[in-house]
Amino acid sequence: MTARLEEAVVAANELIAAGVYRLVIHAPRMAAAAQPGQFVHLKVNNLTAPLLRRPISIADTDQSAGTLDLIYRIVGGGTAFLSGVPVGEHLDCLGPLGKGFALECERPLLVGGGMGLAPLVYLAKALCPRPITVLMGGRTKDELFWEDVFAPVCDQLRLTTDDGTAGTRGYTVDVLPELIKTGNFDQVYTCGPRPMMEQAARIAKQYNIACQVSLEEYMACGLGGCLACSCAGTDGKRRKVCTEGPVFQAGEVFGGC
């Protein structure tokens, strides 16, 4: 990984769902180097902006245009401030950071929940033209605006919602065993709430399918220096999510996987 500090320019910053924004930044060097599963660390060049950078997963790139797509939800002061940044504003951007997904597979199954679906968009596009199945979950139908995003790049799309307003009522892991039995998959990729990922990884192991998980942790430096994002590995050692991840083989971070 070679991190780049680049002065990115905001090309778009638009509301796409309740509290969710699509930020497009012009950062040609990062767009050329980015890999699915990596992230960028953003800071607004403004004295009134929050001090720390904000890590945001890369949801897509356009190398010909030199842009990256970042999809984020307002969860606090930093992202609320970011949602008001206008087109043409400059952002201090560090990236691409982290270890991305390994793409060696023939029949992938992507399992995502909530904002964990963002990095899976870029992954799905990178895996094309292989047959791709996406299993996505949200609390309500309104949270599954992702359906329109994934539809052009996947062969099969399965939905679950907690309240049953779209797809199957329940959670992604409720329908995962049935889906695996009918899909002949050789790789599961998952990102979302940690309990969902742990359960998805255990189910994948039951069916002898390799599983990669993308973790999300609070980060300060993004370069492995502050240790704020470290997590426990199954070997008893601490793992730096920002540099050794955010993508791990499930067995590296989830016991029993």
Side-chain angles (χ1 to χ4, degrees):
M1 179 202 72
T2 302
R4 294 164 171 80
L5 187 61
E6 191 167 354
E7 192 81 353
V9 180
V10 175
N13 194 13
E14 57 190 1
L15 183 71
I16 59 173
V20 179
Y21 285 76
R22 172 177 173 263
L23 173 67
V24 182
I25 59 172
H26 184 254
R29 289 182 296 160
M30 291 188 197
Q35 299 175 2
Q38 292 185 305
F39 65 97
V40 296
H41 228 189
L42 292 180
K43 188 177 190 308
V44 179
N45 293 335
N46 188 305
L47 292 177
T48 63
L51 177 62
L52 294 178
R53 297 176 181 273
R54 292 299 184 272
I56 302 179
S57 298
I58 299 172
D60 200 4
T61 64
D62 184 336
Q63 293 189 6
S64 61
T67 59
L68 297 93
D69 282 26
L70 313 173
I71 300 176
Y72 66 96
R73 184 190 299 277
I74 295 178
V75 294
T79 43
F81 191 97
L82 185 61
S83 69
V85 173
V87 170
E89 180 68 80
H90 288 252
L91 298 174
D92 187 317
C93 190
L94 182 65
L97 298 173
K99 185 186 74 174
F101 294 104
L103 305 181
E104 294 78 13
C105 64
E106 295 298 326
R107 191 164 181 83
L109 170 60
L110 282 56
V111 183
M115 293 306 296
L117 285 155
L120 299 184
V121 177
Y122 190 16
L123 173 63
K125 293 187 176 184
L127 290 170
C128 283
R130 281 165 277 190
I132 300 166
T133 297
V134 177
L135 171 60
M136 65 172 68
R139 288 174 294 183
T140 69
K141 179 180 180 180
D142 291 341
E143 289 195 355
L144 294 185
F145 61 89
W146 301 99
E147 183 178 4
D148 293 336
V149 178
F150 279 96
V153 293
C154 69
D155 292 76
Q156 182 182 10
L157 187 60
R158 289 286 301 271
L159 311 179
T160 67
T161 49
D162 296 1
D163 63 0
T165 50
T168 302
R169 182 169 188 163
Y171 305 114
T172 55
V173 293
D174 295 334
V175 302
L176 183 56
E178 168 208 340
L179 191 58
I180 286 179
K181 289 176 184 177
T182 61
N184 195 30
F185 303 107
D186 62 353
Q187 181 71 242
V188 172
Y189 299 93
T190 182
C191 186
R194 190 179 181 98
M196 181 209 76
M197 290 194 292
E198 289 192 72
Q199 185 62 20
R202 291 194 179 99
I203 293 170
K205 182 176 176 61
Q206 289 173 12
Y207 290 90
N208 297 312
I209 302 174
C211 181
Q212 296 177 47
V213 301
S214 179
L215 302 186
E216 179 179 290
E217 298 289 343
Y218 290 109
M219 298 180 185
C221 73
L223 297 172
C226 68
L227 305 181
C229 68
S230 65
C231 68
T234 53
D235 58 1
K237 298 178 181 178
R238 302 295 296 179
R239 302 296 182 92
K240 300 175 184 178
V241 173
C242 63
T243 54
E244 297 176 69
V247 178
F248 295 91
Q249 295 296 326
E252 295 181 278
V253 290
F254 295 155
C257 296

